[in-house]
Amino acid sequence: MGSKPLFVLFVSTGNAARSQIAQALLNAKGSCRYKARSAGVWPADEIPFSTKAVLENAGHCTEKLHPKSWKDFHEAASYLPVDVIVTLSEDAKFVCDHEWPYD
């Protein structure tokens, strides 16, 4: 139990639905083995009511969820390394393939 959780980043276009849901599901199901976050290439202003409703109806807390930019995680990569990046759109795949600092 001494190992740190695997940091998984879900990246989509707007970080308003798919990536937010993926983050909530992995954090709920992954126990202490994973720490999931999500981001978008062009983050939306807010998460749509329908996305929050889906998560809340499934028993997930949405209070702290908000759209974030992939750039925030990119800039923090030197001290907060991402172990796995899961791209959920062509825009996200392009950005991560060309901009992310891989070791």
Side-chain angles (χ1 to χ4, degrees):
M1 177 132 169
S3 63
K4 71 176 197 161
L6 198 63
F7 187 2
V8 179
L9 179 63
F10 293 98
V11 183
S12 63
T13 302
N15 191 220
R18 292 170 292 181
S19 53
Q20 294 285 349
I21 292 170
Q23 171 186 329
L25 291 175
L26 185 58
N27 282 333
K29 300 292 182 187
S31 180
C32 60
R33 297 187 313 181
Y34 302 99
K35 179 151 183 109
R37 293 291 181 259
S38 63
V41 176
W42 297 292
D45 292 330
E46 60 186 36
I47 299 173
F49 173 79
S50 58
T51 301
K52 287 184 177 183
V54 165
L55 287 169
E56 289 168 359
N57 288 337
H60 300 282
C61 179
T62 62
E63 193 173 293
K64 295 182 181 180
L65 295 181
H66 62 282
K68 299 162 290 301
S69 174
W70 71 276
K71 291 179 184 179
D72 297 336
F73 295 95
H74 181 265
E75 291 169 1
S78 64
Y79 58 89
L80 183 62
V82 175
D83 298 307
V84 177
I85 299 173
V86 179
T87 57
L88 302 171
S89 70
E90 287 298 316
D91 294 324
K93 181 181 182 307
F94 180 82
V95 165
C96 290
D97 281 349
H98 293 89
E99 302 292 334
W100 201 267
Y102 294 101
D103 291 334

